[in-house]
Amino acid sequence: MEQESNVVCLTEHVYRKVLKLMGNRFEVTIVDDDRLSAMEHINAAIDEVRRIEDLLTTYSESSQTSLINRNAGIQPVTVDREVCELILRAERISRVTQGAFDLSYGSVDKRLWNFDRGLTALPDPVTARQMVRLINYRNIQVNIERHEVMLLEPGMRIGFGGIGKGYAAERAKQLLQQRGVRSGIVNAAGDLTTWGLQPDGTPWTVGIADPDSKHHPFSYLNISNQAIATSGNYEKCIMIDRKKYSHTIDPKTGLPVTGIKSVSIISTNAEIADAMATPVMIMGVKAGMNMINQIKQIACIIIDDQNRLFTSDNIKLQ
């Protein structure tokens, strides 16, 4: 586990803490006049992310997500209202993306794809399709009045990997704003949300990772009160017959997506940005960009396998 850092002062009035949360590197950066109060605000935000992780993780049998999955095809389970509401918002994104985003992707597990081990061959398409037969967001039933969730098919599994980090970042930002923090960034492994301005009155400058060298920026954006999430083929990938396959799996075929190196979504909300990045990668340049251009307050940057750059409207790259 990455060593948890103390709160550090980056420049005058700008404080940051870096640590591992939800299995990923989180950075919480805020503007504050006092180091002690900055530390209290940041630690409150971290507690909020940990609370959400406890609700959503599939790595703990005691989480509400695990409870839902264990009862798939058996009975509805009672969960917190915020879990019901998050599932309902995820269902709306599934409809908008025609299933390219699907919360029930959890049936595709490491029996089919294990990018942590040296894969040498693709699974055959028939096996892949059999593994994804349980992926269907229409079979997630939510009773918001009773706070109940039921998966209709035995063996179904949901997971919040495509939306959870963005949701947690957004909730942490909201908590910091409620505490009176006037400006900051919550960065959940590249899915980040910003508000306010830097102490010198300028917007925050955010780097977008170069898909060929993820530790170096491809470009910069000056943003405030906006969120960015990036899905790339560089996070987890394998080479088979000299062709790169990313960890992004098409829920309809069970096979990895090809053709796009990275998708960055800019939105006013980190949860939406997080949830929309992967489906655009799955849908491809033409269909993905066409969808984004029809949705208000969302912009998109795509880099394809030939390093061609595609952008939606109102994006200024430096």
Side-chain angles (χ1 to χ4, degrees):
M1 181 175 177
E2 183 173 334
Q3 183 66 39
E4 181 172 326
S5 72
N6 292 318
V7 172
V8 298
C9 183
L10 299 179
T11 62
E12 190 174 9
H13 304 306
V14 179
Y15 298 89
R16 173 180 293 170
K17 186 167 185 173
V18 180
L19 74 165
K20 192 168 185 178
L21 296 166
M22 305 179 81
N24 293 275
R25 175 188 170 94
F26 267 65
E27 297 177 2
V28 182
T29 305
I30 67 169
V31 174
D32 199 285
D33 296 327
D34 177 76
R35 182 186 182 88
L36 180 60
S37 67
M39 188 165 56
E40 291 174 350
H41 291 316
I42 289 174
N43 287 337
I46 290 169
D47 288 344
E48 175 68 356
V49 174
R50 285 181 170 141
R51 184 189 67 80
I52 292 167
E53 181 178 14
D54 288 343
L55 286 177
L56 304 185
T57 181
T58 55
Y59 291 96
S60 168
E61 286 300 306
S62 63
S63 75
Q64 295 192 1
T65 305
S66 294
L67 183 63
I68 293 169
N69 289 338
R70 280 200 304 276
N71 285 279
I74 301 173
Q75 61 185 350
V77 299
T78 302
V79 297
D80 288 3
R81 184 180 179 89
E82 71 174 295
V83 175
C84 290
E85 291 174 341
L86 181 59
I87 291 173
L88 290 174
R89 292 197 298 275
E91 285 182 335
R92 287 196 287 273
I93 293 172
S94 296
R95 288 196 296 272
V96 169
T97 62
Q98 300 179 358
F101 175 90
D102 197 316
L103 211 60
S104 62
Y105 76 95
S107 62
V108 176
D109 56 24
K110 292 185 177 181
R111 290 174 298 171
L112 183 65
W113 291 102
N114 188 344
F115 288 88
D116 296 326
R117 296 183 178 179
L119 294 175
T120 57
L122 296 173
D124 69 88
V126 174
T127 301
R129 279 198 296 273
Q130 287 174 345
M131 291 290 287
V132 299
R133 68 177 181 81
L134 292 174
I135 299 177
N136 189 345
Y137 66 90
R138 299 175 186 84
N139 288 333
I140 304 172
Q141 196 170 70
V142 177
N143 185 324
I144 192 66
E145 302 301 325
R146 298 171 63 92
H147 298 190
E148 288 180 347
V149 179
M150 181 169 182
L151 308 183
L152 298 183
E153 292 287 335
M156 276 186 72
R157 290 174 59 83
I158 60 170
F160 292 89
I163 194 172
K165 294 202 307 295
Y167 174 64
E170 200 63 35
R171 290 286 303 186
K173 183 190 83 171
Q174 292 172 7
L175 182 141
L176 289 166
Q177 290 178 315
Q178 290 166 2
R179 293 173 65 97
V181 177
R182 63 182 183 273
S183 181
I185 303 175
V186 180
N187 185 350
D191 300 340
L192 61 87
T193 184
T194 69
W195 73 104
L197 300 170
Q198 297 185 77
D200 63 2
T202 60
W204 295 100
T205 299
V206 175
I208 296 177
D210 183 340
D212 292 325
S213 179
K214 67 177 183 179
H215 296 299
H216 297 90
F218 158 78
S219 182
Y220 291 96
L221 291 174
N222 292 326
I223 63 172
S224 178
N225 302 315
Q226 288 189 307
I228 296 179
T230 299
S231 180
N233 70 354
Y234 45 82
E235 294 294 344
K236 282 187 177 180
C237 60
I238 53 171
M239 296 293 291
I240 298 177
D241 295 333
R242 292 185 293 181
K243 185 173 182 178
K244 181 184 282 188
Y245 293 90
S246 79
H247 73 293
T248 304
I249 306 299
D250 186 333
K252 291 184 174 62
T253 67
L255 296 174
V257 173
T258 59
I260 292 179
K261 285 185 176 180
S262 74
V263 173
S264 295
I265 300 290
I266 299 101
S267 168
T268 55
N269 182 287
E271 176 188 317
I272 293 174
D274 186 11
M276 293 299 285
T278 297
V280 170
M281 199 161 184
I282 292 169
M283 295 169 76
V285 174
K286 185 176 181 180
M289 195 63 80
N290 183 54
M291 177 187 68
I292 293 298
N293 283 331
Q294 296 181 56
I295 303 174
K296 294 180 179 178
Q297 297 187 320
I298 291 185
C300 181
I301 301 169
I302 299 175
I303 302 173
D304 74 2
D305 273 353
Q306 284 76 49
N307 289 322
R308 292 177 296 187
L309 181 69
F310 303 86
T311 63
S312 59
D313 296 337
N314 301 324
I315 293 181
K316 296 178 181 179
L317 297 178
Q318 296 179 10

